[in-house]
Amino acid sequence: GVTLGNSFKVPSSTSLLAPLTIPSSSQLLMAPKNQQGTRVLSKAPIIKNWRTNPDGSITGNISNSPDFRNNQEVTTSRIVEKNLKGDQTVTSVSGSKYRLQGKISPLKKKAEPKKASKQVSGTFSVKN
C-alpha cells in the first residue's frame, strides 16, 4: 500500500491512476488505529445528529450508505455497545456497523398539543 502523510494508508488494491478521494480531517480523526498505529478508515456508514432511543437503537442522519440517501433520517436496530459518547464505531444486534460522528444530540421535543379552552356545560338561567 501507499502511505499518505504519516497517518493514512491507501490499500495496495487501489489503482493510483484512478481518481483518489482523500478523506476529510474529521474522518481521519474519527478513524480507529490498527496494530501498527495507522488510522484505518471504516467503510461503515456515518450517523450524524444522533440520539439514543429507549429501546437501545439510534436515530440520526446517515451518510456514506449504499442503502439510504445522504442525510436521510434512519433508526438502527438496538446497539450492542453501552455508554455511547460519539466519534466511535458501533455494531447493531443485526450485525450492521455505523460510525457515530460527533456527540449525542439532545432529544427532539415533540410539539405540545394546544390546550383546549375550558368549556362550561349545563343549564343556566338569567335573572333580572
Side-chain angles (χ1 to χ4, degrees):
V2 177
T3 300
L4 298 176
N6 293 328
S7 62
F8 179 67
K9 189 170 185 177
V10 177
S12 301
S13 60
T14 303
S15 168
L16 293 178
L17 299 176
L20 178 64
T21 302
I22 304 297
S24 69
S25 59
S26 65
Q27 287 174 315
L28 283 174
L29 291 174
M30 284 180 53
K33 290 184 178 181
N34 64 14
Q35 292 176 343
Q36 293 78 29
T38 303
R39 293 207 180 266
V40 179
L41 288 176
S42 168
K43 293 185 181 194
I46 298 168
I47 297 183
K48 302 176 190 174
N49 306 318
W50 59 276
R51 61 192 179 277
T52 57
N53 299 312
D55 65 356
S57 65
I58 290 176
T59 298
N61 301 100
I62 197 164
S63 60
N64 196 36
S65 170
D67 301 316
F68 300 98
R69 293 184 325 273
N70 279 343
N71 294 318
Q72 181 176 349
E73 186 171 272
V74 297
T75 298
T76 68
S77 302
R78 186 172 50 82
I79 298 298
V80 175
E81 294 83 1
K82 305 294 179 209
N83 302 319
L84 303 178
K85 294 181 168 93
D87 292 332
Q88 69 190 92
T89 299
V90 297
T91 306
S92 70
V93 293
S94 66
S96 298
K97 291 192 178 292
Y98 303 96
R99 290 182 287 158
L100 301 181
Q101 189 171 53
K103 304 296 178 202
I104 190 167
S105 295
L107 288 176
K108 286 185 178 180
K109 291 187 177 182
K110 292 182 180 176
E112 294 199 19
K114 293 182 179 180
K115 292 183 179 179
S117 57
K118 207 171 196 179
Q119 294 183 351
V120 180
S121 61
T123 304
F124 300 94
S125 60
V126 178
K127 294 184 180 179
N128 287 354

